[in-house]
Amino acid sequence: MTNLLITGLKDQCGSKIKALASNYAQYNFIFMEVDTLDIRNHQSEADFIALNNINVIISCPAQTNVDKAETH
């Protein structure tokens, strides 16, 4: 089975993928958010990928508030 890591679960794209995931039983979706897997910590991320035999990573963190995006 293909293991897919989806980051940015709480964001628009990640939440849409989660809503559709049940239609794709041939894949094992693993949904993570920054409070459970900080993708900025490369060692932690590499350890998680190795431990969970991740085959595909879809990174969905996004900022949809334009004004906030400009200041952050």
Side-chain angles (χ1 to χ4, degrees):
M1 181 172 287
T2 301
N3 294 322
L4 292 95
L5 170 61
I6 314 298
T7 63
L9 171 62
K10 295 177 185 174
D11 294 306
Q12 186 174 9
C13 184
S15 63
K16 295 292 184 186
I17 292 172
K18 184 165 185 167
L20 296 171
S22 63
N23 297 327
Y24 300 92
Q26 69 271 32
Y27 299 106
N28 180 37
F29 289 88
I30 301 171
F31 293 93
M32 302 299 277
E33 187 53 56
V34 70
D35 56 352
T36 52
L37 176 65
D38 186 352
I39 62 173
R40 298 168 296 184
N41 181 328
H42 298 292
Q43 187 59 56
S44 174
E45 183 181 28
D47 292 345
F48 183 87
I49 290 166
L51 180 67
N52 292 282
N53 193 28
I54 301 297
N55 305 103
V56 176
I57 300 171
I58 301 174
S59 183
C60 297
Q63 178 61 264
T64 56
N65 180 327
V66 176
D67 293 331
K68 186 176 181 182
E70 289 180 3
T71 60
H72 288 86

